[in-house]
Structure formats: structure tokens, C-alpha cells
Amino acid sequence: MRFILPAVLAGAMFLVGCDEGQVGPAPITVSEYQQMGRADRTRWPDNRIVQMNLTRVSNAELTSEQRSESLKLVRLISNEQPGILSEADLADLATLLRNSKTPKPLHRDVLLFLLKENYPDLSTFITGKMSDRQSDPEMHAAVMAYLGNNAPPQMLSGVVRSWAKETEITGPNETNFRKAVERISEKPWDETLLTELNSPTFDAKGEALQILRARLGLEALRQKMLSMHAETEETQAVQAFAEQFDYFPTTREELITTSLIYRARRNMLPDAARMSLDWTKSYGYGFDIRDFHLLSRLSRDPLRNNLKRTQIVLEIGQALKTRKHVKHSPTVAGGADYKESFWLQVDHLTMADLWNLYLINEMLSRPRVQTSLRLMADGDLADNKSAWGGLVFYLNGQAEATLYPPDANAPPDDRVYQPTKRLILDGRDSLCRFIGHFDQENNVSRAGPTAEELADANVYDYYGLTLTRVDKNSFCAHYYTPEGRVISLGKFSLR
């Protein structure tokens, strides 16, 4: 018997050795996991595979692709066996989101993984992901689902900003946005947004206004805001303009401008309101906050404010009739297609449009201004990194243009004017914005506003003026409105 035992042990050792030789290494990809045999699964249980691959995900010596492959395998096993991952496992993965050295593709995969696991501490990482519908639909869908269950209080502003970008109020994300707001506030979403509109600490008031306007309707929203006890300057401004101008802002930009005007020009409201009411009674005018600059200055100018609509129309028409006009070409001017004849559109122009045209025409006809524009045109021509522009104000009874340098931090572009924050702020209390098309001495093909310039005026609610050099000694001018109307003012001299 003592000779048989070693033989048996030897046979056993041989058999074990054969089994060991047939067992493969631990899987590190989904395909390897799916191809595992029975012996492999006995040798490599799922919990061990998960831990080994989590270690690989955190291993900075591996490539980003290798780490992401291991994460995909962890995801697969986690889906099949809920609860296999501990809180500590998820917390370890979350550290990769806070590590600046984590490769961007892996950062995205880890975030997506944790979103689907409903990991609770992701607010810092998803604020900028709520508008990724086009660029990353999978991430966008995961963020929307996560918000419906996990939105923390500090994310309310970010949620509201992203919600305001939704173009369809019955779209697929609507329910998740409403649920997110209600989870944060523990109140109905519309009540929450109305409360925050009147909160001094909330910093997405304009977006909240847009959301409510689209879903409650203008009249219902108006009544609710006018019945509030005003706790903020924004609510005070809305109530003051509703009372004095019968005006209610409905977009973020309009609310910002209304608040700024109320803060800086409160003493001018009564005079501007009287002139606005007179225009309404006489010409059917409807006040817009972008017209406040004109109305407030014009109402205090006794030499100007008695002109009637028919007088202004005739004077503008006679001036434009004596000039040559440069017709734009939509095929080369940024794709914009419009008619620029004054007489074809005069019936659709408001009193504010007519006064803007009247004052701008006077300004561009002055020799001093033409001399200044020569300097601007030559300077812009020599600058091949940016376009030039600025603002027009009503000063001392006439329109005056002020040049604003382009944004120094914007990417170089000789054909697109990049406004600074200062111009945008000052422009909320101005007649219009002007942009030079001076990148070439003969720039006839770029006469008039481009499609992008018209779209920008629409989004940010301002009147515009393009000045285009047509030869060495002349330029042409086109006025345009946020609604997309364009009026040619004709050719002028560069002195």
C-alpha cells in the first residue's frame, strides 16, 4: 500500500496539471468573457473578474483604450448581476473623474458608467453635459435619466439653463426636467421657477422666464408675476415696465436689458413712457425694451420729438432716392436673402425703426463721421486677424458712433466681428450695433448683413448696421432689425 499511494498522488498531480494547463487567463474584454469555457468560469468567478478589471481601469500604465475595455466588461457583469459592485468600488471609479490626468475618452466612459449606476455625487461633472443631445446622444440620455432621480439642490441653475435650450416643450426630455426641478425643490416645477424668479440668489432668472413663458402662456405668466411681492430688482423692473409701458419681457436677453435699464435709467421711465404711449395711440406702436434708449433721449429733446411719421418717411425717402445703392448677393453674402428697399418695407417699419434710420442717415452724411470711417476702414483693412465694430448712441441731439475693439481672446477671424462683454453690456442701452465689412478695399460681394449677423441680432435682440467698403473712397450702409428686415441706406463717401 505504501507503494500505491505515491502512484495515486502522482496520477492526481498529473490530472490537476492537465486541468491547470487548460484554464485560460482572466478575461479583460467583453469578447474574452463571452468565450470563456466551464473550466475558466470555475477558475475565474465573476466577482474576481470585476475586481481585477476595476484595478485595470485605475491603472495609469495601461492605454485609455485598454482601461475602457475593462470598464465595458465590468458594466456587462454589473448589468447581469446587480449589486456586485460595492459603494467603495464606485467611489474608487469616481476618483478618476477628479483626476486631471484621466484621459478624456476614459473620463467620459467612467462618467457614463456612474450615471447609469445612479452614483449620487456627480453634479460637478454633468452640468455641462445637459446640452449634448447632438454631440453625444448617449451621454445626454444618461444625464437626463439621472437628473430625474438624483438632481441635487446646487444643480437647479444648471438644470434650468439646459431646460431653457429645449426647443420642444413636449420633447423626450420634458418629463425628466420637470422631475429634476421638483426633486430639488419638493414643490411643483412651475411654482419653483416662479419663486426663483423672485429670489435674489438665483442666477438663471432669464432662462426660468423663457421656460414659464413657453409652458404657461404669456398672459398667465404676466398675471402671476405682477401679483408677486417684488423681492428682487428684476421683479421690480418687470412690474414697472408692465405698468408704465404695457410691456413684459419674454426672453432671457429681454429680462437682462429690462433689469439693467430699470437700475440705471429709472428716472427716465416716465418721459419715455409718455412718448411710447403717444406713438401707440397715433401709429399703433408696440414698445420693445431695445427702443428705450431712443425713446428716453428723444422724449427729452425738444428740437426733435415733434416730428410726425409722415415727415420722417418723406425725409428718409428723399435722401435715399438721391443715392446709389449696392444690392447684396445671398450666394456670396453669408446665405442671407432679403429685400433692402425702403419703400417696399416702409409700412412694416415701426416708429423706432424710422427714427433709427433718420438719425443714422444724418450721422453717415456728416463729413466728420466719413473722415472717421476712413480711418476705421483703413485700420480694419490692415488688421487681418479681426473685424471691427461698435455701437451707435443718441448723444447731444444726434446719433454718434463709438468704436469698440474686438474681443482679444477670440480666435482670429478677419470677417466676423467678435464683440467684447463690455460692448454687449453697453449695447443694451444704445441705438444699434455697427459692424464693418472692411476686410477688402473692394468688398461689394459682402454688402449687407450676413445670415449669421441677422441671426445674432434676433437672438440678442438688437438693431444692427453693416458698413461695407465698395471701393477706395466709398462705402455702403445697411440697417437691419431683429426680425430680419434690412434697409439699404445707399453709398457714402470716405473722406
Side-chain angles (χ1 to χ4, degrees), residues 149 162 178 202 233 275 302 426 460 492:
N149 299 309
S162 294
R178 294 189 183 196
F202 189 62
E233 197 169 66
M275 175 163 274
D426 292 353
Y460 293 100
F492 298 83

Side-chain angles (χ1 to χ4, degrees), residues 175-304:
T175 299
N176 284 326
F177 276 122
R178 294 189 183 196
K179 283 172 60 179
V181 170
E182 291 176 352
R183 181 172 293 275
I184 289 170
S185 63
E186 299 182 346
K187 295 188 298 185
W189 66 269
D190 52 345
E191 182 182 334
T192 299
L193 295 187
L194 280 166
T195 300
E196 295 301 332
L197 265 174
N198 199 29
S199 168
T201 59
F202 189 62
D203 59 359
K205 294 183 178 69
E207 290 84 352
L209 183 78
Q210 289 182 206
I211 293 168
L212 289 165
R213 164 69 178 87
R215 290 154 181 82
L216 299 184
L218 177 58
E219 192 53 38
L221 175 58
R222 178 188 178 108
Q223 292 303 320
K224 289 178 182 294
M225 284 204 70
L226 295 185
S227 63
M228 287 180 176
H229 174 69
E231 299 288 345
T232 65
E233 197 169 66
E234 287 88 353
T235 304
Q236 293 172 5
V238 167
Q239 293 177 347
F241 274 88
E243 179 183 350
Q244 297 188 52
F245 292 84
D246 193 27
Y247 170 77
F248 189 87
T250 59
T251 68
R252 173 183 181 274
E253 295 301 320
E254 290 175 357
L255 180 61
I256 292 173
T257 303
T258 300
S259 301
L260 183 147
I261 293 295
Y262 181 76
R263 183 185 312 121
R265 310 293 183 191
R266 196 175 311 181
N267 65 319
M268 303 178 82
L269 262 64
D271 291 337
R274 279 192 292 272
M275 175 163 274
S276 176
L277 180 60
D278 181 56
W279 285 1
T280 300
K281 291 179 177 179
S282 302
Y283 313 116
Y285 167 76
F287 176 79
D288 194 290
I289 193 62
R290 64 178 179 261
D291 298 337
F292 182 85
H293 181 85
L294 171 68
L295 282 160
S296 59
R297 277 64 171 185
L298 197 59
S299 63
R300 296 186 171 195
D301 186 347
L303 300 179
R304 292 280 197 179

Side-chain angles (χ1 to χ4, degrees), residues 431-446:
L431 288 180
C432 72
R433 185 182 300 189
F434 72 89
I435 298 172
H437 291 180
F438 294 145
D439 51 292
Q440 297 184 65
E441 194 169 84
N442 184 340
N443 219 11
V444 173
S445 64
R446 294 196 65 211

